Amino acid sequence: MSVLVINSGSSSIKYQLVNPDSGAAIASGLVERIGEETGHIEHNYGDVTREIDAPVPDHAIGLEKVLELFSEVGPSLTDGSISAVGHRVVQGGKYFSGPALITDEVQSLIEELCPLAPLHNPAHLKGIKVARRLLPGVAHVAVFDTAFFQSLPDEAATYALNREVAEKYQVRRYGAHGTSHQYVSGKVSEYVGRTDLKQIVLHLGNGASASAVIGRKAVETSMGLTPLEGLVMGGRTGDIDPAVIFHLARVGGMSIDELDNLFNRHSGLKGLTGENDMRAVWKLADEGDANALEALDVYAHRLVKYIGAYTATMGGLDALTFTAGAGENDSRLRAKVCERLTAFGVRLDEEANAIRSKEPRVISAPSSSVTVLVVPTNEELAIARQAMSLV
Ligand code: ADP
């Protein structure tokens, strides 16, 4: 039994064939530079990696080539072993608080939500349409990045923007990375053996977000209408006074597209240091680069601000969990954040923090009043399991 998980972007398709029970990735690959002069496809199965460099004019041809690779290199997708196709969809708006079996109606709703996620939903739709056509005999399920955050209380999801305008344009906090926050907070509950935890999950990848979860319900998250709000990210500003936009438009003569690009791609760590990869930022910092040292402080300060705010709104904190690329691998970053939380009774176990592992683990000392954990995320597996829940 397996689930094909597809993440279709504007010029790429990433996929993984997952065993939803064991969690094993059976095969994986990606199609890159769709629509450009040179395309690239990579398919991995067992010890075999097959790469193709050829133009991929559109998503349909990309996915057709992927299916050819599955039949040439393996494993077969046509022997009845795949139970579902899970599609990652960024924006589910107010319509989806869980996974949805894709019908024409669901497809239309995803389409209706395109204005809220203009970079993502149209690309997901392309993947969904092609995959439904090429793999007709199997259930297709959409798994939404926003679904976990549909449970947010109104007081957390509502912006103090003019109500008429907000309602007309569906402006509210939708959040993102929800599949990861749900998966990781669920793992923490299992690991600690409690279902009533007040927890904070820090998903620190290239994109970064924090969530507050009570029991199995999300009550706060740092990303907003779009993934731009909240923490300092690889290339995104995170929180910033929106009047900076008016200022840069009026005084700096910048257009909306220029500002979008500046805030989403050329800010954050990249804008502060020239590097958007956390490892490269540390390298600069180790060489004494003042901008990198400051950027790391800005990054940690923002995180601590969110942890404090979420602890206050939840009325306490039982578990604080780091996940995603930097969260899972960067022990120095975790230490930098936790040393600023001693007033909350957080005590890190330095040895446990230094261990590298793919397993969930506690990194706080027994005397810590908050259990601090590292829990690797696995969005593909979470999507596969959610897809299976509807089959
Ligand atoms: P994405 O958001 O693209 O899925 P990932 O979850 O893969 O991102 O995380 C990417 C981030 O994780 C990058 O900033 C990278 O530098 C950081 N990262 C990965 N490994 C390490 C490491 N060993 N030390 C510090 N940062 C790391």
Side-chain angles (χ1 to χ4, degrees), residues 100-172:
L101 204 56
I102 301 177
T103 57
D104 291 346
E105 198 196 343
V106 166
Q107 216 170 278
S108 314
L109 290 174
I110 296 172
E111 189 152 15
E112 194 189 308
L113 293 164
C114 283
L116 285 175
L119 297 178
H120 293 103
N121 275 30
H124 302 322
L125 274 172
K126 282 186 193 164
I128 288 172
K129 285 179 186 165
V130 178
R132 286 181 80 198
R133 179 164 61 76
L134 296 177
L135 296 164
V138 55
H140 289 254
V141 176
V143 177
F144 300 91
D145 257 22
T146 49
F148 185 50
F149 298 123
Q150 279 297 295
S151 68
L152 250 51
D154 286 341
E155 63 184 28
T158 305
Y159 290 117
L161 177 69
N162 177 283
R163 195 176 290 283
E164 273 172 41
V165 173
E167 278 172 9
K168 181 167 180 198
Y169 296 101
Q170 298 182 59
V171 176
R172 55 163 268 156

Side-chain angles (χ1 to χ4, degrees), residues 28 32 43 60 65 82 98 102 116 122 131 146 153 176 248 252 257 288 334:
S28 65
E32 289 176 296
H43 179 78
K65 294 208 169 164
I82 74 166
I102 301 177
L116 285 175
T146 49
L248 293 179
D257 286 341
R334 295 193 297 257

Side-chain angles (χ1 to χ4, degrees), residues 14 177 203-208 234 269 276-280 282 323-331 356 377 379:
K14 290 187 194 139
H177 288 156
H203 176 113
L204 309 179
N206 195 22
L269 293 176
N276 64 2
D277 190 297
M278 188 57 93
R279 285 164 291 198
W282 275 113
T323 192
E328 290 166 29
N329 297 299
D330 193 338
S331 56
R356 299 190 62 114
T377 191
E379 284 168 286

Side-chain angles (χ1 to χ4, degrees), residues 63-311:
L63 204 57
E64 274 169 19
K65 294 208 169 164
V66 169
L67 296 188
E68 280 169 26
L69 284 169
F70 268 104
S71 58
E72 278 171 40
V73 180
S76 169
L77 291 185
T78 49
D79 63 1
S81 64
I82 74 166
S83 311
V85 181
H87 295 268
R88 173 184 181 230
V89 179
V90 161
Q91 183 54 269
K94 63 184 176 201
Y95 301 125
F96 300 101
S97 54
L101 204 56
I102 301 177
T103 57
D104 291 346
E105 198 196 343
V106 166
Q107 216 170 278
S108 314
L109 290 174
I110 296 172
E111 189 152 15
E112 194 189 308
L113 293 164
C114 283
L116 285 175
L119 297 178
H120 293 103
N121 275 30
H124 302 322
L125 274 172
K126 282 186 193 164
I128 288 172
K129 285 179 186 165
V130 178
R132 286 181 80 198
R133 179 164 61 76
L134 296 177
L135 296 164
V138 55
H140 289 254
V141 176
V143 177
F144 300 91
D145 257 22
T146 49
F148 185 50
F149 298 123
Q150 279 297 295
S151 68
L152 250 51
D154 286 341
E155 63 184 28
T158 305
Y159 290 117
L161 177 69
N162 177 283
R163 195 176 290 283
E164 273 172 41
V165 173
E167 278 172 9
K168 181 167 180 198
Y169 296 101
Q170 298 182 59
V171 176
R172 55 163 268 156
R173 179 180 307 287
Y174 293 102
H177 288 156
T179 310
S180 175
H181 286 279
Q182 184 172 20
Y183 176 83
V184 170
S185 56
K187 281 262 167 205
V188 171
S189 289
E190 266 172 42
Y191 192 82
V192 176
R194 273 177 60 186
T195 53
D196 61 342
L197 291 174
K198 290 177 176 166
Q199 5 177 351
I200 294 174
V201 175
L202 304 174
H203 176 113
L204 309 179
N206 195 22
S209 58
S211 69
V213 180
I214 301 180
R216 286 294 169 101
K217 237 175 96 170
V219 294
E220 252 296 5
T221 193
S222 59
M223 285 177 166
L225 175 79
T226 77
L228 181 57
E229 194 180 347
L231 305 177
V232 177
M233 306 183 217
R236 299 188 191 120
T237 54
D239 292 340
I240 189 166
D241 180 350
V244 174
I245 296 172
F246 319 145
H247 176 72
L248 293 179
R250 289 190 190 117
V251 180
M254 293 185 193
S255 69
I256 289 295
D257 286 341
E258 282 169 333
L259 288 162
D260 191 330
N261 207 25
L262 176 70
F263 280 49
N264 273 298
R265 284 179 202 85
H266 298 285
S267 298
L269 293 176
K270 172 87 178 165
L272 292 174
T273 70
E275 298 284 354
N276 64 2
D277 190 297
M278 188 57 93
R279 285 164 291 198
V281 176
W282 275 113
K283 186 163 177 288
L284 286 174
D286 289 338
E287 290 159 4
D289 183 283
N291 288 342
L293 288 163
E294 185 188 63
L296 289 164
D297 285 340
V298 174
Y299 191 100
H301 177 87
R302 184 82 54 88
L303 277 169
V304 169
K305 228 160 87 165
Y306 268 89
I307 294 164
Y310 288 179
T311 303

